[in-house]
């Protein structure tokens, strides 16, 4: 059985209280499976409370952030440096298309963020809209997220996603490739059954704990 990632990206949703409630609703129901990494990426405000809830409940959940600063500690008002998240989070999403579009993130900035993450022992998951977007060295997890599929209810086909993932694996030795864009409980298996796809990045379908649980459980029979 291959190692898979299932990553919940809440984007700018959920209060701290709602975040804790989600963790306590889902946590006790997911199984400890060594080959499945389930990651939750709440808002920055909720991260430490989410981490605490996971630890107290001994839930098999990893915790991530959705972005980090391209700089280290210092005079960078409003930014969250990776170094200060060390030990608190396991993963950071980087270069999501919503950040590329709304916050003018470019490849150079994403490269700086990757270095910061790696130095803090945080796994960067770099999102790319297609196979031609450059991925900095040191990245071991890439998420292929075609823009048309994000939040649209129209996912890419599993076959095409697999083709893109295969190209990315040829270009970047040893990477794992996830697919994201309108992943739901009823299509997650079709993506994960593809040879080159090692996980999914889930936005909308991660917000409701019952729906997300259904999605996680669907992978148990792979
Ligand atoms: P979606 O979002 O699942 O709502 O399409 C995916 C993402 O943006 O990571």
């Amino acid at each position: 059985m291959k190692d898979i990632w299932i990553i919940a990206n809440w984007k700018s949703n959920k209060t701290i209280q709602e975040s804790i409630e989600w963790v306590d609703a889902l946590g006790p129901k997911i199984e400890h499976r060594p080959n499945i990494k389930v990651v939750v990426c709440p808002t920055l405000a909720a991260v430490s409370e989410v981490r605490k809830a996971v630890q107290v409940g001994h839930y098999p959940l990893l915790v991530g952030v959705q972005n980090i600063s391209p700089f280290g500690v210092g005079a960078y008002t409003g930014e969250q440096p990776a170094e200060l998240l060390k030990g608190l989070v396991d993963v950071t999403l980087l270069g999501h298309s919503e950040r590329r579009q709304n916050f003018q993130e470019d490849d150079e900035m994403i490269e700086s963020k990757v270095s910061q993450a790696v130095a803090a022992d945080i796994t960067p998951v770099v999102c790319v809209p297609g196979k031609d977007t450059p991925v900095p060295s040191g990245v071991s997890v890439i998420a292929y997220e075609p823009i048309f599929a994000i939040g649209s209810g129209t996912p890419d086909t599993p076959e095409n996603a697999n083709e893109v993932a295969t190209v990315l694996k040829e270009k970047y030795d040893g990477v794992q490739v996830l697919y994201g864009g309108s992943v739901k409980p009823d299509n997650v298996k079709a993506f994960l059954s593809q040879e080159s796809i090692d996980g999914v990045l889930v936005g909308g379908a991660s917000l409701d704990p019952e729906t997300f649980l259904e999605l996680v459980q669907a992978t148990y029979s792979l």
Side-chain angles (χ1 to χ4, degrees):
M1 209 186 281
K2 65 180 174 185
D3 287 344
I4 59 172
W5 295 84
I6 306 173
I7 305 183
N9 173 16
W10 290 351
K11 309 189 180 185
S12 298
N13 291 290
K14 293 191 189 295
T15 62
I16 295 171
Q17 191 53 36
E18 287 165 347
S19 303
I20 297 167
E21 282 166 13
W22 184 100
V23 170
D24 284 328
L26 181 85
K29 295 183 182 158
I30 51 174
E31 297 177 13
H32 289 257
R33 296 210 172 203
N35 69 313
I36 304 181
K37 292 191 180 84
V38 183
V39 186
V40 56
C41 301
T43 65
L44 206 47
V47 161
S48 61
E49 288 298 324
V50 162
R51 169 60 96 193
K52 213 184 290 172
V54 167
Q55 274 170 347
V56 169
H58 300 288
Y59 304 138
L61 275 172
L62 299 174
V63 181
V65 284
Q66 302 166 19
N67 180 39
I68 55 163
S69 174
F71 302 107
V73 294
Y76 303 102
T77 302
E79 286 295 312
Q80 182 62 51
E83 204 178 319
L84 301 185
L85 291 167
K86 191 172 176 162
L88 185 64
V89 302
D90 309 290
V91 166
T92 181
L93 304 180
L94 290 179
H96 190 284
S97 64
E98 288 155 12
R99 296 211 56 84
R100 293 179 193 260
Q101 277 167 10
N102 300 320
F103 303 95
Q104 290 73 48
E105 283 196 8
D106 58 19
D107 295 327
E108 200 184 323
M109 192 186 284
I110 292 163
E111 196 174 336
S112 303
K113 292 182 180 202
V114 166
S115 314
Q116 294 292 334
V118 170
D121 289 327
I122 296 170
T123 302
V125 174
V126 172
C127 304
V128 298
K131 59 183 171 14
D132 298 325
T133 306
V135 175
S137 61
V139 172
S140 56
V141 188
I142 301 173
Y144 162 55
E145 295 213 310
I147 289 168
F148 70 84
I150 296 176
S152 67
T154 308
D156 201 346
T157 63
E159 294 73 21
N160 191 57
N162 187 55
E163 248 173 66
V164 174
T166 304
V167 173
L168 289 167
K169 285 184 167 184
E170 281 162 8
K171 277 173 86 169
Y172 304 104
D173 205 27
V175 292
Q176 287 184 290
V177 180
L178 323 186
Y179 167 75
S182 299
V183 175
K184 302 275 183 294
D186 63 2
N187 64 19
V188 65
K189 266 175 87 171
F191 286 103
L192 291 175
S193 312
Q194 300 293 322
E195 194 176 339
S196 295
I197 299 181
D198 304 301
V200 286
L201 179 50
V202 187
S206 74
L207 292 173
D208 171 39
E210 289 303 319
T211 308
F212 190 66
L213 177 66
E214 230 183 285
L215 195 150
V216 173
Q217 286 174 336
T219 69
Y220 293 163
S221 58
L222 271 169

